[in-house]
């Protein structure tokens, strides 16, 4: 692992993957909390608010090395530019396993306060359909297809990323078979939902997914945009 520093911009060069690229800009809304230690490097987690053009807020989980940020300092309320990857892991939840998603920060720039320009939220994924697409239409006739994308890492690991396609992109995605190779451009979004626990109890949870702006079927080189 190498650390590069340019003014207040820090970059961690570790397992850079062209097939999984994320760039977000927003404000930190929680303290950095220790998550784990791997090969002598400590990683911390925090939440970042990223504003959409509509004004809505996506609350996105971030995991970052203490080599990039001094986690003993208070950063809540500061704006950051984060570059990295979108990763997943399975967490045991009772007798079930839940897919957990997070942004793995590899580059960070502390901006300090909200800039005049709009916050960035961009993701590029190159992977394979690993679950049969689910197509549906809303009562107003909006076409939607949910897909699960497997994006390979080095050394045989993969990240599993839920994606939601719209309009013509939904039509293309609905016809894809498991194993199809696609490239996706979009943004990461969060949404709240109520998880039913018992007949009388429910719990508020947050789901994360990629809202797909464009999808390219690599084998056929067909590109459909939202």
């Amino acid at each position: 692992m190498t650390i590069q520093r340019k003014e207040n911009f820090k970059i961690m060069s570790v397992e850079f993957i062209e097939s999984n690229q994320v760039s977000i800009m927003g404000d930190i809304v929680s303290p950095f909390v220790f998550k784990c230690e791997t090969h002598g490097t400590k990683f911390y987690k925090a939440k970042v608010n990223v504003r959409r053009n509509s004004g809505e807020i996506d609350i996105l989980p971030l995991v970052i090395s203490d080599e990039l940020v001094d986690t003993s300092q208070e950063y809540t309320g500061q704006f950051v530019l984060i570059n990295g990857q979108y990763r997943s892991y399975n967490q045991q939840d009772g007798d079930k396993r839940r897919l957990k998603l997070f942004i793995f920060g590899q580059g960070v720039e502390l901006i300090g306060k909200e800039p005049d320009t709009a916050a960035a939220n961009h993701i590029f994924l190159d992977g394979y359909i690993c679950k049969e697409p689910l197509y549906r239409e809303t009562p107003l006739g909006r076409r939607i297809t949910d897909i699960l994308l497997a994006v390979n890492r080095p050394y045989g690991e993969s990240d599993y990323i839920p994606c939601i396609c719209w309009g013509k992109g939904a039509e293309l995605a609905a016809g894809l078979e498991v194993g199809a190779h696609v490239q996706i451009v979009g943004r990461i979004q969060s949404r709240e939902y109520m998880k039913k626990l018992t007949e009388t109890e429910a719990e508020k949870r947050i789901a994360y997914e990629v809202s797909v702006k464009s999808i390219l079927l690599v084998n056929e080189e067909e590109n459909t945009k939202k």
Side-chain angles (χ1 to χ4, degrees), residues 84-160:
Q85 304 165 20
Y86 203 31
R87 291 191 173 182
S88 72
Y89 67 95
N90 282 311
Q91 183 180 71
Q92 198 69 34
D93 184 11
D95 59 350
K96 296 182 179 180
R97 296 172 72 88
R98 291 177 58 195
L99 185 68
K100 305 288 286 186
L101 298 155
F102 64 95
I103 296 167
F104 178 68
Q106 292 177 283
V108 57
E109 181 179 3
L110 296 175
I111 301 171
K113 61 180 181 178
E114 185 173 6
D116 295 332
T117 56
N121 186 338
H122 176 86
I123 184 168
F124 169 79
L125 298 172
D126 184 323
Y128 300 85
I129 304 294
C130 60
K131 186 177 180 180
E132 185 176 350
L134 177 62
Y135 176 84
R136 63 190 189 279
E137 293 187 13
T138 69
L140 296 178
R142 195 174 194 190
R143 295 156 294 172
I144 301 173
T145 297
D146 296 309
I147 59 176
L148 186 62
L149 197 66
V151 181
N152 295 331
R153 290 192 220 166
Y155 316 115
E157 296 185 39
S158 297
D159 293 295
Y160 297 91

Side-chain angles (χ1 to χ4, degrees), residues 21-217:
Q21 301 176 42
V22 173
S23 179
I24 65 165
M25 184 165 60
D27 57 310
I28 299 173
V29 294
S30 71
F32 283 94
V33 177
F34 178 75
K35 177 177 174 60
C36 63
E37 183 172 347
T38 303
H39 303 299
T41 300
K42 294 180 180 179
F43 292 90
Y44 290 77
K45 59 183 180 180
K47 294 289 182 69
V48 179
N49 275 4
V50 178
R51 190 180 304 277
R52 301 184 193 179
N53 291 333
S54 65
E56 292 186 54
I57 298 293
D58 292 302
I59 307 172
L60 306 180
L62 168 69
V63 173
I64 198 164
S65 163
D66 64 350
E67 298 282 357
L68 300 185
V69 175
D70 181 359
T71 55
S72 67
Q73 301 297 314
E74 176 59 56
Y75 297 101
T76 302
Q78 292 199 52
F79 267 71
V80 291
L81 171 63
I82 300 290
N83 293 300
Q85 304 165 20
Y86 203 31
R87 291 191 173 182
S88 72
Y89 67 95
N90 282 311
Q91 183 180 71
Q92 198 69 34
D93 184 11
D95 59 350
K96 296 182 179 180
R97 296 172 72 88
R98 291 177 58 195
L99 185 68
K100 305 288 286 186
L101 298 155
F102 64 95
I103 296 167
F104 178 68
Q106 292 177 283
V108 57
E109 181 179 3
L110 296 175
I111 301 171
K113 61 180 181 178
E114 185 173 6
D116 295 332
T117 56
N121 186 338
H122 176 86
I123 184 168
F124 169 79
L125 298 172
D126 184 323
Y128 300 85
I129 304 294
C130 60
K131 186 177 180 180
E132 185 176 350
L134 177 62
Y135 176 84
R136 63 190 189 279
E137 293 187 13
T138 69
L140 296 178
R142 195 174 194 190
R143 295 156 294 172
I144 301 173
T145 297
D146 296 309
I147 59 176
L148 186 62
L149 197 66
V151 181
N152 295 331
R153 290 192 220 166
Y155 316 115
E157 296 185 39
S158 297
D159 293 295
Y160 297 91
I161 313 297
C163 305
I164 182 167
C165 306
W166 313 86
K168 291 183 179 179
E171 292 181 358
L172 171 64
L176 297 176
E177 297 181 352
V178 173
H181 183 190
V182 298
Q183 294 178 345
I184 280 174
V185 173
R187 61 177 174 81
I188 304 170
Q189 67 180 22
S190 65
R191 59 178 173 85
E192 292 185 348
Y193 70 100
M194 297 302 296
K195 172 67 174 180
K196 186 176 180 180
L197 303 178
T198 66
E199 290 298 324
T200 58
E201 294 181 319
E203 179 182 76
K204 181 185 289 187
R205 292 184 177 178
I206 299 178
Y208 302 98
E209 60 204 1
V210 172
S211 179
V212 177
K213 181 179 179 181
S214 66
I215 178 169
L216 171 71
L217 181 57

